[in-house]
Amino acid sequence: MNLEQYKKAVELLNLYSYHYYVLDNPITTDEVYDKLYHEVLEYEESHEDDILAFSPTQRVGDVISDGFSKASHLSRMWSLEDVFDSEGLEKWLTKTYKLDKHITFYCEPKYDGASLNLIYENGELTQAITRGDGVEGELITQNVKTIRSVALTIAHKDKIEIRGEVVIYKDEFAKINKERLLRGEAVFANPRNASAGSLRQLDPSITASRNLVFLPYGVGENTLEHKLLSQKMEYIYSLGFKKPPIRGVCKDFTEIEAIYEVMKRDRDSYPMMLDGMVVKVDEISSQIDMGYTVKNPRFSVAYKFPAVEKITTLKKIILQVGRTGVVTPVAIVKPTNIDGVVVERATLHNFDEIDRKDIRLKDKVIILRSGDVIPKIIKVLTHERDGSEVKVQRPTTCPVCGSELLDEGVLLKCQNLTCEARVINSIIYFASKPCLNIDGLGNKIVEALFDAGVVKSVLDLFDLKSSKLLMLEGFKEKKAQNLLSAIENAKGCDYWRFINSLGIEHIGEVASKTLSARFGSGFIDAAKDEIIALEGFGEEMAESVLEFVRVNRDTILKLQNILRPLEPVQREEAKENPFKGKSVVLTGSMSESRDIIKEMLESLGAKVVSSVSKKTDFVIYGEDAGSKYDKAMSLGVVCLSEEEMRDVTKIG
């Protein structure tokens, strides 16, 4: 074989691969392909300088990586808003039509796999990056080159990002799990996990062995001039990529519903797992005009398939204790495969729900799973009972520390701040920005301190010494000193921050400020009727404060003595203004930090809260305002831009 024959052989092999892996329409036999492949391989072994980058031999990874580096996407990869029924779709359409009435919609499957971004320059694949956080992901180019449905070269010469989902077909998934079982290895829970795990193998030959499939669903940065997304995607398919099993352009709700029903009906017949349908505005110019919220594109939505129900058996109930001490029952059920996911746990929410549904151990129950939502028990099959079922007893003591539980009816709570189950999360919360804002005391550091036995409670933070920190992995002199300084700087904080840092159930930032303003350090001696009299407080909140203080009085006094939080200064009553006494929500990016804007509004007598409801008086929005703005508009809440807010109050 000479050089020209070699080049023609490579082109022919790529044509065979395209028909086999992309079109699912083989034009030759495995024997013919294998014979030609080995001839090409033999030529390349003796002519290394002639090897073409797009030769099929370059798809077989043989260099094991030490790890993956990070790489930035050329343009952000966004996640989609979800809707779960026709009513949700109608609401999304109503919202979208307000932005542009003259639009149509491109519908395609929502694949259940791992998102991937391919970057091509001058027609060659230069980078393949996992989705990551949407801004940057892991660079896995060598692994992706082993995927036969990913083109190594394309006819398009301008720089372009082609986005898609990497999936494992259902029959291949079953084959992989069968082989793993025979080798005594753990099986994959579902095709999505198998796809993600296969993509991130340090040994590319393992990725190559898994028969992954790349299915494009969009483009990022590009110079394409198509006016419609449907046209743009047809062009992408023409470059050598697989087409979806079904897609279509729809003009309204009725047509979208029609293709959705077909997709839902036929989903089991498709070779890959689907978990819904993606609906996108087809007109590119309208997409650009609509833009994005903080989290999602406004021009696209994921229309998820209905939840799947299965019957299983309740084996036992375990108790989990959260940061605020809430004890949550979790059902352990007989492992059940629901749409490719093996479910072994289901949420029970609380013991009132167990009583209301009369859930018993050994009951046959119906569990429901919808998308990524935690499965839940929706029905007990009482007619299946044989008398061996056992009633679930409501616990009276914490399963971790043995302290008496506070029984609020719906909620059961461990109020012991030194309870081991609460310690890590309570310290993380204690150090967080809305509380004491201790820089450098994040999740991993707290976990390391706890695991090493250096910190077993919030109080232990203030006994930390440099010598103890330097014994931990990752700590050097400067890092240790910075952390100790940050802890020291937490002293003398505002009193409301001290109350908020305690993590009292139902008591957040706004309630902490109210308690602080009224009682200061005297909040630990406040009577129930005094607390209930506070604006925004009810009996449940008052009981929570009183019970927390009863259990943790000594700890509160010790922390108070260490931190010496500043007693609140009585603020002069604000003069009359449009925001005095009003409930205000902030959303979007402002010209100053939201904390400064918040302080400004509070000085005017406003109550700044985090979520929008019918009781909200104003939403102040900046750039990239998101779902809070959308909800406010739907509820008829007055929305003011930052500039309008400043104009109204004549501040700034």
Side-chain angles (χ1 to χ4, degrees), residues 117 296 389 544 565 588 633:
N117 187 30
N296 317 113
E389 294 75 22
S544 192
M633 293 293 287

Side-chain angles (χ1 to χ4, degrees), residues 59-104:
R59 291 187 180 276
V60 181
D62 55 4
V63 179
I64 297 178
S65 171
D66 293 329
F68 299 114
S69 59
K70 295 284 188 180
S72 297
H73 303 295
L74 302 181
S75 60
R76 180 170 169 179
M77 292 183 75
W78 296 84
S79 57
L80 298 181
E81 177 187 350
D82 291 335
V83 299
F84 296 93
D85 50 34
S86 57
E87 183 180 347
L89 176 64
E90 280 191 297
K91 285 182 180 177
W92 179 78
L93 286 172
T94 299
K95 191 167 57 176
T96 308
Y97 280 134
K98 284 180 181 177
L99 301 173
D100 192 337
K101 293 180 180 178
H102 308 291
I103 49 177
T104 54

Side-chain angles (χ1 to χ4, degrees), residues 458-585:
V458 168
L459 287 167
D460 292 341
L461 288 174
F462 302 97
D463 289 329
L464 279 175
K465 298 287 188 291
S466 181
S467 57
K468 289 184 179 179
L469 293 175
L470 292 174
M471 293 169 62
L472 301 178
E473 185 179 349
F475 269 93
K476 298 240 171 114
E477 189 67 43
K478 185 176 180 181
K479 184 175 179 179
Q481 196 52 55
N482 285 345
L483 179 55
L484 293 174
S485 298
I487 292 172
E488 185 66 25
N489 291 339
K491 296 177 180 179
C493 60
D494 290 334
Y495 203 88
W496 72 264
R497 286 185 177 275
F498 173 67
I499 295 176
N500 196 32
S501 72
L502 297 174
I504 305 171
E505 185 72 24
H506 308 309
I507 306 300
E509 187 175 327
V510 173
S512 295
K513 287 179 177 177
T514 303
L515 277 171
S516 174
R518 170 65 179 84
F519 302 112
S521 58
F523 88 97
I524 62 173
D525 295 314
K528 182 176 178 179
D529 57 348
E530 290 179 306
I531 299 175
I532 289 177
L534 297 174
E535 183 184 356
F537 276 69
E539 179 147 350
E540 191 175 36
M541 293 173 73
E543 285 287 358
S544 192
V545 172
L546 293 171
E547 177 64 14
F548 186 89
V549 170
R550 187 180 72 78
V551 175
N552 299 291
R553 176 178 284 269
D554 287 347
T555 301
I556 294 170
L557 290 173
K558 286 176 183 176
L559 282 171
Q560 190 170 262
N561 190 48
I562 293 168
L563 288 165
R564 300 289 181 188
L566 302 175
E567 292 283 352
V569 177
Q570 294 301 315
R571 183 181 272 165
E572 288 185 20
E573 186 174 349
K575 296 176 182 178
E576 287 302 318
N577 68 82
F579 298 109
K580 185 177 180 180
K582 303 297 184 183
S583 174
V584 181
V585 173

Side-chain angles (χ1 to χ4, degrees), residues 44 59 136 170 185 190 200 276 339 390 407 416 489 515 524 533 608:
E44 290 177 343
R59 291 187 180 276
E136 67 172 12
K170 287 181 278 192
E185 298 173 351
N190 53 62
R200 298 184 67 259
D339 205 21
V390 181
D407 193 333
N416 180 12
N489 291 339
L515 277 171
I524 62 173
V608 181

